[in-house]
């Protein structure tokens, strides 16, 4: 292996690692706030990328129907609750947010032809379609069991993952898609070409991480999430609603997932079931961070990306064996150095 | 058998018959029917059990097969034919469970399936035990070779990997390829191709300089591609199915690889062309003639048979939707269309004698022109394809082009 | 003892029902029961490991694979009798489980489940990449089991073997958990600090329960190999490992009978959806997994402790298990798995129910 190959592999590992890092951040965030191990995180990657690809192909993405269906379901549940509790004034707002907004979005998609729009608008549309699914999933699947054990929440996640995979196959078919790159710029380093898109992935990841940092440090919602993560009961006593915090964290997770998908879909082909393995590797990063520390989780995720890249060069058939076996000593080291407090 | 006379032909769902039976209001009516059965039911219906991988990793192969089964004739030689379709989710346990179900619950006369090699191999024991003929839609020669007591019952419609690999090796020799690298799926498909290709290539003195694997859902194959590039092969063969096979090719192009590229017949669908785009221009692959049916010379008998399928499928699912995988299911239907009338002469559907007769008739298939080639079965060869079952195809202008 | 009488009666009834089931049921139902039995054996191990010991494992499918592959390899390549490959498979699994356990059980908190994912993935890809094990394509032609002159070829014959093994393991599990070792295992879930204060050697107890659960999985794998007579890596993947955990939790992860209930429910539900959905919704889509996932979320919303405690409450209020059951129903509700990876249940956890309507 000469230097050039080593550099190329390193670059590849860091690009993938950057995506894993984003997902790791989202997983840490969701877990810290809600105790949910959000296995369907990966599905948002696939949904984001494939929704964008559908828009570009001039097709109506299936996620529209999902959004409409879930919105209606929530509207029905919330309205009946409001009716029972005689909170009549809230009903119009409920209907508007949960049914009206998705309908408006669907109507817009019908009226205009998304394929002819400029790329940034398409990306925005795709995000608008996918991101609301996050809080909706929280409302429907997790909020009713928000107080259950981590194990039960995990199993709900597994069930949600199974459902979303099925929905993905139904909406997008078994074959994958790619989207055109945001930029065609290439750089030459020695003999090798460096794609602009690769750099874009890294820059965007870093920017997103910085943005999250400011969100948590500077904004009231960010602080509310941190408070909930530190102590749920305490936060509640301070007037921070657990449900609101949950919804907010799921919105962020969905946004990060969908955005990651849109970032990498010009570099690789995304399938309806791509998300699981990508999410799993993000999860590995998150765990290395102890499901608590953002910087360590990001570092862990980049480590996974690098391990993967170098092992795919040396023994591609055994790539996963190598990656996952090497994870164990890292876990052991982390486990012994992290002061672990047992939860009650 | 009684209820079978009453039910309608066409695609019915499993347990239909069982339920119909349970729903019968009076026992008296059932008894009356039973009595009538011996008089009126001279011909019972033929039940065809299908298990295929419509979900899971092999979904892109299984879905066109499933769509194709819906197009198969619902009546053969004046006899109603029912197709019972089950999805095995690309999982061997489910494939075996489905097979047992089709045999025990639906008393099928013949099995079609499954889509992938491991599932088909797992089904052999069950089919042979129930003495029911089975037509696999997976490629590996291991499904029908070596011929033994169990494989006595097993047939298959896709060309053997070896047959396709030979076509590639010959093309390589004609184009002065001396060294070649292989990148394949880390699953049964990639493995099957590697086994056949490496054997034939070595025998013909082509040197294999790299052997790499990747996963269907990998987001990057940079490591494998760099390894291949470092070995400087004259040509690269990518052993993958469907759109995932585009990733190594795109990465190779991006890293500036200039040699000849080969793909396998697994990529032969329009989605592959869509995803791979201009990076796949000039790629060669062996395929069943159905892929380029319209370009075949009129003198080729396969042209008419293949176009019949293409037109039928595209009529139902839109232009450009056809894939060679669906055609394997179509050919299974062709085999049955040919064998069932013969078997009917000897026994009634639903009986062990019929299943045996059907097996014998399948083995006696001669000169049957189907979408992928001409079948000539024998007791030793339960596939029966010859050279006519494969053509070399080149990707040109975003389309499949027959290489003369 | 009135309550033990009740539970013994129920158990005998259950065994009697099982004994005549294959004679009355259609062929395919017996096949389904066979698979349920195989899954329940693995889920039983998880009840012990996760529900009682508080250690979550995603990797059980890999142990099933070890049992299955050992037997498949030895019988097809070396012609060893299947009855000898059972101890061989157990030995291989024990060695692997002990060495994995020694490393990964030191992991605390969330590191442990990830550790199990890690070696679960590694073993799966190892099965697929070793040419001696048939690679991804698999090993076919595994001989059937023979009992004297009887070849266990049909599902009905195999049924008795699988369910006998399962019942023996259920009894063994109960006895193990009632023993001194078992009390130590049960103490694990309350957090290691408390257990160690009471003189429990927690690392040892963890290794014991982990190895025993792995051995259960290995037995299931051995049975699987000879029932299926074909093995390839797919049934031993991480997805299947998650599914086993799924079965245990849906059934009731703190209850030995929850394992059987969970395995049964999920197997039957999948079958049922496969039969009925295409009729309701047409042939075009594959809605089975979507509806399956949604139903499971719904079940977990209604019964987060799994279905077994719910069933128990139902029966005790229905008066089937007399008045004694009512008290136990309450105890069951308090004592079911609340814990997650390291979460402690209350003292109620120690009183989880091991028996239909009895303790």
């Amino acid at each position: 292996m000469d230097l050039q190959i080593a550099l190329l592999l390193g670059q590849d590992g860091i690009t993938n690692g950057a995506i894993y890092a984003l997902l790791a951040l989202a997983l840490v965030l969701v877990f810290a706030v809600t105790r949910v191990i959000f296995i369907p995180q990966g599905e948002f990657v696939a949904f984001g990328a494939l929704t964008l690809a559908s828009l570009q192909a001039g097709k109506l993405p299936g996620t529209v129907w999902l959004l409409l269906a879930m919105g209606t379901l929530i509207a029905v549940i919330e309205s009946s609750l409001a009716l029972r509790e005689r909170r009549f004034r809230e009903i119009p707002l409920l209907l508007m947010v949960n049914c009206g907004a998705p309908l408006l979005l669907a109507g817009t998609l019908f009226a205009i032809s998304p394929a002819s729009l400029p790329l940034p608008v398409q990306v925005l549309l795709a995000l608008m379609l996918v991101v609301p699914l996050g809080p909706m999933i929280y409302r429907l699947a997790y909020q009713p069991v928000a107080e259950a054990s981590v194990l039960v929440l995990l199993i709900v996640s597994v069930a949600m993952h199974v459902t979303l995979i099925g929905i993905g196959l139904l909406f997008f078919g078994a074959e994958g898609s790619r989207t055109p790159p945001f930029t065609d710029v290439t750089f030459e380093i020695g003999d090798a070409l460096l794609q602009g898109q690769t750099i874009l992935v890294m820059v965007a990841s870093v920017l997103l991480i910085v943005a999250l940092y400011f969100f948590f440090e500077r904004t009231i919602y960010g602080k509310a999430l941190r408070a909930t993560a530190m102590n749920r009961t305490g936060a509640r006593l301070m007037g921070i609603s657990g449900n609101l915090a949950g919804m907010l964290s799921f919105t962020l997770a969905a946004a990060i997932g969908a955005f990651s998908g849109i970032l990498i879909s010009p570099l690789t082909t995304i399938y309806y079931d791509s998300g699981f393995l990508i999410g799993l590797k993000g999860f590995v990063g998150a765990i290395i961070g102890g499901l608590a520390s953002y910087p360590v989780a990001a570092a862990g995720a980049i480590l996974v990306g690098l391990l993967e890249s170098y092992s795919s060069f040396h023994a591609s058939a055994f790539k996963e064996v190598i990656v996952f076996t090497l994870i164990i000593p890292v876990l052991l080291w982390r486990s012994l150095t992290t002061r672990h407090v047992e939860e009650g | 058998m009684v209820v079978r006379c009453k039910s309608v032909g066409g695609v019915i769902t499993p347990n239909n018959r069982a339920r119909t039976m349970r729903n019968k209001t009076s026992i008296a009516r059932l008894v009356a029917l039973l009595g009538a059965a011996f008089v009126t039911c001279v011909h019972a219906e033929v039940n065809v059990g299908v298990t295929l991988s419509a979900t899971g990793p092999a979904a892109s192969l299984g879905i066109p097969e499933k769509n194709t089964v819906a197009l198969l004739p619902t009546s053969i030689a004046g006899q109603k034919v029912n197709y019972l379709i089950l999805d095995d989710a690309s999982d061997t346990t489910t494939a075996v469970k489905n097979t047992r179900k089709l045999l025990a619950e639906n008393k099928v006369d013949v099995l079609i399936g499954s889509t992938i090699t491991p599932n088909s191999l797992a089904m052999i024991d069950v089919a042979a035990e129930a003495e029911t003929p089975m037509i696999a839609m997976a490629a590996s020669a291991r499904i029908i070779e070596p011929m033994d007591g169990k494989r006595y019952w097993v047939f298959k419609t896709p060309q053997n990997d070896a047959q396709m690999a030979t076509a590639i090796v010959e093309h390589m020799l004609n184009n002065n390829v001396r060294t070649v690298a292989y990148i394949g799926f880390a699953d049964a498909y990639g493995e099957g191709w590697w086994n056949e290709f490496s054997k034939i290539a070595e025998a013909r003195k082509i040197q294999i300089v790299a052997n790499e694997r990747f996963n269907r859902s990998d987001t990057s194959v940079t490591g494998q591609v760099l390894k291949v590039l470092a070995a400087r092969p004259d040509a690269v063969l990518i052993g993958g199915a469907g759109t995932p096979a585009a990733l190594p090719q795109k990465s190779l192009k991006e890293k500036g690889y200039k040699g000849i590229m080969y793909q396998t017949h697994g990529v032969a669908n329009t989605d592959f062309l869509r995803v791979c785009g201009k990076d796949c221009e000039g790629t060669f692959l062996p395929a069943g003639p159905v892929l380029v049916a319209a370009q075949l010379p009129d003198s080729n008998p396969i042209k008419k048979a293949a176009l019949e399928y293409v037109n039928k499928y595209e009529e139902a699912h839109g232009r450009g939707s056809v894939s060679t995988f669906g055609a394997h299911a179509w050919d299974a239907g062709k085999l049955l269309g040919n064998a069932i009338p013969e078997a009917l002469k000897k026994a009634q559907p639903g009986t062990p004698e019929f299943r045996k007769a059907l097996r014998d008739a399948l083995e006696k298939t001669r000169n049957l022109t189907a979408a992928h080639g001409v079948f000539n079965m024998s007791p030793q060869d339960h596939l029966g394809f010859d050279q006519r079952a494969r053509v070399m195809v080149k990707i040109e202008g975003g389309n499949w082009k027959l290489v003369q | 003892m009135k309550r033990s009488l009740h539970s013994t009666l129920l158990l005998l009834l259950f065994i009697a029902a099982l004994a005549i089931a294959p004679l009355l049921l259609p062929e395919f139902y017996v096949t389904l029961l066979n698979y349920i039995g195989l899954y329940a054996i693995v889920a039983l191990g998880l009840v012990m490991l996760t529900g009682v010991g508080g250690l979550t494992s995603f990797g059980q499918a890999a142990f099933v694979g070890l049992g299955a592959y050992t037997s498949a390899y030895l019988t097809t390549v070396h012609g060893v009798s299947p009855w000898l490959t059972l101890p061989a498979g157990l030995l291989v699994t024990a060695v692997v489980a002990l060495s994995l356990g020694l490393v990964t059980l030191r992991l605390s908190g969330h590191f442990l489940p990830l550790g199990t994912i890690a070696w679960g993935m590694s073993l799966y890809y190892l099965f697929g990449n070793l040419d001696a094990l048939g690679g991804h394509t698999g090993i076919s032609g595994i001989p059937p089991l023979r009992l004297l002159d009887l070849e266990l070829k049909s599902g009905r014959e195999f049924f008795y073997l699988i369910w006998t093994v399962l019942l023996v393991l259920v009894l063994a599990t109960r006895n193990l958990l009632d023993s001194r070792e078992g009390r130590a295992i049960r103490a694990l879930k309350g957090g290691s600090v408390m257990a160690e204060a009471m003189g429990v050697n927690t690392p040892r107890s963890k290794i014991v329960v982990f190895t025993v659960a792995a051995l259960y999985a290995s037995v299931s794998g051995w049975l699987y190999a000879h029932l299926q007579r074909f093995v390839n890596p797919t049934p031993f993947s991480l997805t299947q490992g998650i599914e086993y955990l799924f079965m245990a939790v849906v059934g009731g992860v703190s209850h030995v009978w929850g394992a059987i209930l969970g395995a049964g429910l999920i197997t039957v539900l999948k079958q049922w959806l496969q039969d009925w959905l295409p009729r309701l919704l047409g042939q075009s889509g594959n809605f089975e997994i979507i509806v399956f996932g949604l139903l499971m979320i719904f079940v977990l919303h209604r019964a987060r402790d799994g279905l077994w405690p719910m069933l128990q409450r139902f029966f005790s209020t229905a008066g089937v298990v007399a008045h004694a059951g009512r008290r136990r129903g309450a105890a069951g509700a308090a004592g079911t798995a609340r814990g997650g990876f390291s979460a402690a249940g209350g003292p109620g956890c120690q009183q989880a129910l091991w028996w239909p309507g009895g303790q």
Side-chain angles (χ1 to χ4, degrees):
Chain A
M1 185 165 67
D2 57 28
L3 185 68
Q4 193 201 345
I5 290 179
L7 281 176
L8 281 172
L9 289 174
Q11 176 227 320
D12 178 59
I14 292 175
T15 316
N16 282 321
I19 296 294
Y20 301 153
L22 283 178
L23 297 181
L25 294 188
L27 285 164
V28 169
L29 169 69
V30 167
F31 182 82
V33 175
T34 62
R35 295 178 305 128
V36 170
I37 295 192
F38 195 41
I39 295 178
Q41 177 70 52
E43 270 64 76
F44 282 95
V45 177
F47 278 24
L50 293 173
T51 302
L52 180 62
S54 298
L55 287 174
Q56 286 172 344
K59 281 183 271 185
L60 195 65
T63 23
V64 175
W65 306 116
L66 187 61
L67 194 66
L68 282 172
M70 287 177 54
T72 315
L73 196 60
I74 293 177
V76 169
I77 295 174
E78 293 285 10
S79 305
S80 62
L81 275 177
L83 274 179
R84 206 179 305 156
E85 291 163 18
R86 307 195 158 271
R87 291 179 281 122
F88 299 115
R89 250 188 279 163
E90 291 174 20
I91 294 177
L93 184 69
L94 276 174
L95 289 177
M96 231 149 66
V97 171
N98 290 308
C99 291
L103 270 175
L104 194 69
L105 196 57
T108 319
L109 284 179
F110 270 117
I112 54 171
S113 62
S116 56
L117 293 172
L119 186 62
V121 184
Q122 288 173 338
V123 169
L124 202 66
L125 272 177
L127 288 175
M128 279 166 72
L129 282 170
V130 178
V131 175
L133 296 177
M136 284 177 169
I137 284 176
Y138 178 78
R139 174 63 193 85
L140 290 172
Y142 296 97
Q143 193 174 312
V145 283
E147 299 305 314
S149 68
V150 174
L151 183 63
V152 169
L153 290 171
L154 170 74
I155 298 296
V156 172
S157 284
V158 172
M160 199 68 231
H161 159 72
V162 168
T163 313
L164 288 178
I165 285 276
I167 290 175
L169 179 61
L170 187 69
F171 286 163
F172 303 111
E175 293 288 6
S177 289
R178 265 178 184 241
T179 55
F182 295 144
T183 163
D184 281 324
V185 184
T186 48
F187 303 92
E188 237 168 282
I189 301 177
D191 296 339
L193 286 177
L194 187 56
Q195 279 180 302
Q197 182 70 28
T198 324
I199 298 174
L200 197 71
V201 169
M202 295 184 212
V203 173
S205 307
V206 173
L207 283 181
L208 205 58
I209 290 169
V210 172
L212 281 173
Y213 174 80
F214 278 103
F215 173 75
F216 286 117
E217 291 294 321
R218 297 276 184 273
T219 67
I220 188 81
Y221 284 108
K223 287 177 181 172
L225 282 185
R226 270 174 59 210
T228 318
M230 276 174 204
N231 188 330
R232 244 177 306 279
T233 324
R236 210 137 121 205
L237 290 174
M238 294 296 121
I240 299 167
S241 149
N243 289 340
L244 179 73
M247 291 236 206
L248 198 57
S249 64
F250 270 68
T251 312
L252 278 175
I256 292 172
F259 189 65
S260 312
I262 289 169
L263 271 182
I264 51 162
S265 61
L267 292 175
T268 185
T269 324
I270 298 287
Y271 309 89
Y272 74 101
D273 59 350
S274 281
F276 182 64
L277 265 186
I278 303 178
L280 188 66
K281 285 164 188 162
F283 182 59
V284 172
I287 296 274
I288 292 176
L291 279 175
S293 159
Y294 294 100
V296 182
I302 291 191
L303 175 74
V304 175
L306 286 172
L307 269 180
E308 201 181 22
S309 180
Y310 284 101
S311 56
S312 73
F313 179 81
H314 285 292
S316 57
F318 289 91
K319 182 183 88 178
E320 313 287 335
V321 181
I322 297 173
V323 170
F324 284 98
T325 311
L326 284 180
I327 288 303
I328 294 177
V330 177
L331 288 178
L332 203 60
W333 166 68
R334 284 290 300 157
S335 175
L336 294 176
T337 51
T338 315
R339 210 166 60 87
H340 177 73
V341 184
E342 284 176 350
E343 293 163 46
Chain B
M1 213 158 306
V2 182
V3 188
R4 213 177 281 172
C5 303
K6 293 274 294 174
S7 68
V8 254
V11 178
I12 60 167
T13 49
N15 258 357
N16 206 2
R17 229 150 19 83
R19 200 195 62 131
T20 326
M21 201 144 157
R22 264 181 258 130
N23 282 2
K24 290 289 174 235
T25 40
S26 69
I27 296 173
R29 200 167 152 208
L30 198 71
V31 174
L33 268 171
L34 262 170
F38 297 102
V39 192
T40 57
C41 282
V42 182
H43 295 289
E45 290 167 9
V46 180
N47 283 315
V48 180
V50 186
T51 171
L52 37 74
S53 311
T55 57
S60 71
L61 285 59
I63 290 172
E65 289 173 357
K66 185 174 174 177
N67 292 338
T68 302
V69 174
L71 301 173
L72 292 180
T74 53
S75 157
I76 293 173
Q79 198 68 241
K80 285 266 180 223
V81 181
N82 301 316
Y83 298 93
L84 302 116
I85 309 173
L86 297 178
D87 169 29
D88 61 33
S90 317
D91 172 49
T92 39
T93 316
T94 318
V96 170
K97 206 185 285 174
N98 284 348
T99 310
R100 289 189 194 275
K101 174 174 183 164
L102 290 166
L103 291 169
E105 294 267 286
N106 307 102
K107 307 266 183 283
V108 297
D109 298 298
V110 55
L111 289 158
I112 297 181
S114 173
T115 308
I116 49 176
T117 301
N119 288 10
S120 307
L121 285 174
M123 287 165 62
I124 293 177
D125 268 42
V126 189
E129 221 159 79
E131 308 202 322
T132 304
M134 156 183 158
I135 306 175
M137 296 184 285
S140 170
R142 263 182 74 186
I143 297 168
I144 49 165
E145 287 167 14
M147 186 50 64
D148 57 17
K150 286 174 187 157
R151 290 178 173 84
Y152 177 77
W153 293 96
V154 183
F155 301 83
K156 83 189 209 21
T157 55
Q159 300 84 347
N160 284 338
D161 285 340
Q163 207 165 3
M164 293 297 197
T166 314
I168 292 188
V169 171
E170 267 165 19
H171 191 269
M172 284 176 172
L173 288 172
N174 293 338
N175 287 279
N176 292 321
V177 173
R178 291 282 161 264
T179 54
V180 62
Y182 178 78
I183 308 182
F185 272 4
D187 67 5
Y189 188 89
E191 192 176 272
W193 262 92
W194 165 251
N195 290 341
E196 297 303 334
F197 176 73
S198 57
K199 225 178 348 187
I200 298 165
E202 258 156 45
R204 305 290 291 271
K205 304 274 180 294
I206 293 179
Q207 196 194 348
I208 300 177
V209 290
N211 169 23
E212 299 296 318
R213 291 286 186 281
F214 72 108
N215 289 311
R216 236 184 95 256
S217 54
D218 273 354
T219 50
S220 162
V221 288
T222 308
Q224 291 91 327
V225 161
L226 289 175
K227 188 97 172 263
V228 165
L229 286 175
R232 303 188 182 281
D234 295 339
V236 177
L237 168 62
I238 297 165
T243 42
L247 184 62
Q249 179 144 10
K250 284 183 94 80
S251 297
L252 277 165
K253 282 274 167 176
E254 182 197 306
K255 298 273 183 294
Y257 181 68
K258 297 280 191 301
I260 310 176
M261 305 257 224
Y262 291 90
Q263 290 274 0
T264 65
H265 58 298
V267 301
N269 68 18
T270 324
D271 286 302
F272 176 76
L273 294 177
R274 166 176 63 82
V275 168
C276 202
K278 62 181 191 320
D279 288 332
C280 281
E281 284 297 305
T283 303
F284 292 98
L285 63 142
V290 65
L291 184 64
V292 285
Q295 297 167 39
L296 294 172
D298 289 332
S299 58
N300 190 335
I302 299 168
K303 179 172 187 170
K304 194 163 151 270
L307 277 178
E308 183 197 352
Y309 169 67
V310 173
N311 293 334
K312 226 172 182 166
Y313 192 93
E314 297 198 335
E315 205 174 287
H317 299 279
R319 260 190 76 75
S321 59
V322 76
S323 82
T324 56
F325 291 105
H328 295 313
W330 179 256
D331 286 356
K334 279 269 166 196
L335 284 175
L336 288 180
N338 188 52
I340 286 176
E342 293 302 311
L344 280 172
K345 286 180 197 156
K346 292 191 183 128
Q348 282 296 308
T351 60
E353 294 76 31
F354 179 76
R355 299 199 292 272
K356 176 78 171 65
L358 190 56
R359 192 218 75 90
D360 293 344
L362 282 170
E363 196 169 76
K364 289 203 184 81
T365 306
R366 296 283 182 279
N367 281 322
L368 174 69
T369 311
H372 269 290
V374 182
F375 288 104
N376 275 302
M377 304 261 186
S378 74
Q380 284 312 311
D381 183 3
H382 277 188
L383 167 63
F385 271 154
D386 54 22
Q387 301 301 319
R388 287 172 289 180
R390 57 155 167 79
V391 293
M392 277 309 275
V393 174
K394 187 180 183 187
I395 300 176
E396 242 180 59
N399 257 314
W400 313 109
K401 191 95 176 50
L402 177 67
V403 178
Q404 298 297 342
Chain C
M1 283 292 282
K2 206 172 172 186
R3 56 172 78 161
S4 68
L5 188 72
H6 275 298
S7 54
T8 315
L9 258 176
L10 272 177
L11 180 66
L12 286 177
L13 227 93
F14 182 62
I15 292 175
L18 278 178
I20 54 165
L23 306 175
L24 300 177
L25 288 175
E27 176 86 34
F28 183 64
Y29 288 76
V30 179
T31 306
L32 276 186
L33 278 172
N34 284 344
Y35 284 111
I36 293 172
L38 289 180
Y39 298 149
I41 294 174
V42 186
L44 190 63
L46 273 174
V47 162
M48 233 190 320
L49 189 64
T50 307
V52 182
L55 307 166
T56 305
S57 166
F58 291 93
Q60 295 310 101
F63 291 131
V64 180
L66 282 178
Y69 264 108
T70 310
S71 193
Y73 175 73
L74 290 177
T75 50
T76 54
V77 179
H78 298 291
V80 180
S81 152
W83 297 105
L84 293 177
T85 59
L86 175 61
L90 290 174
L91 190 72
V92 170
T93 311
V95 169
V96 174
L98 277 174
S99 38
L100 282 176
L102 282 175
V103 180
T104 48
L105 290 176
R106 288 169 179 275
L107 301 177
S108 50
H110 309 297
F111 296 112
L112 175 66
L114 183 65
T116 65
I117 291 183
W119 50 251
M121 291 285 270
S122 302
L123 281 175
Y124 167 74
Y125 280 101
L126 216 54
F127 292 143
N129 278 310
L130 294 179
D131 285 334
L133 298 182
H136 288 279
T137 314
I139 303 176
S140 57
I142 301 171
L145 289 176
R146 261 170 195 290
L147 230 127
L148 301 173
D149 270 347
L150 179 68
E151 230 179 34
L152 297 184
K153 265 193 156 174
S154 87
R156 287 176 208 276
E157 291 146 4
F158 225 95
F159 172 88
Y160 288 105
L161 180 65
I162 291 177
W163 283 84
T164 310
V165 170
L166 178 58
L167 284 177
V168 167
L169 289 180
V170 165
L171 293 178
T173 308
R174 195 188 65 143
N175 286 340
L176 174 69
L177 290 173
D178 279 344
S179 69
R180 185 184 161 79
E181 193 65 57
R183 284 194 297 277
I185 292 169
R186 281 150 71 175
L188 285 177
K189 198 167 165 184
S192 48
V193 179
M194 177 61 123
E196 276 170 16
M198 294 296 154
V200 174
N201 182 352
T202 51
R204 196 189 101 96
S205 292
K206 282 182 181 176
I207 291 274
V208 167
V209 68
F210 182 74
T211 310
V212 171
L215 290 178
Y216 282 18
S218 176
V219 171
S220 170
W222 176 75
L223 288 166
Y224 175 88
H226 294 283
L227 175 69
Q228 200 89 348
R229 275 174 273 146
F230 176 84
V231 292
N232 78 323
T234 36
F236 315 122
S237 64
L238 179 63
T239 329
Q240 189 60 38
I242 292 177
E243 181 129 344
Y244 286 127
L245 192 61
F246 205 82
M247 289 174 181
V249 172
V250 169
V253 77
S254 309
H255 305 261
V256 278
W257 297 100
I260 300 178
L261 185 66
L265 181 86
I266 283 173
T267 312
V268 170
L269 185 68
K270 280 192 169 169
Q271 205 56 51
W272 187 80
L273 287 175
Q274 197 185 41
D275 286 352
W276 286 86
L277 275 186
R279 303 162 52 107
L280 295 174
L281 303 171
Q283 278 282 352
S284 53
N286 291 297
F287 301 99
E288 285 105 301
I289 47 171
I290 302 176
V291 178
F292 174 75
L294 292 177
L295 277 176
M296 284 302 115
I297 294 175
F298 183 75
V299 165
L300 289 164
H301 282 188
R302 298 285 139 166
R304 60 181 73 168
D305 295 330
L307 287 169
W308 183 256
M310 202 184 183
L311 211 65
Q312 269 180 329
R313 274 197 295 278
F314 174 77
F315 274 113
S316 52
T317 42
V320 174
V321 193
H323 68 282
R326 217 162 290 149
R327 273 207 335 258
R328 252 171 280 126
T336 40
R338 228 177 310 148
F341 299 143
S342 64
C349 270
Q350 319 297 320
Q351 298 164 15
L353 300 177
W354 305 119
W355 219 226
Q359 281 183 333

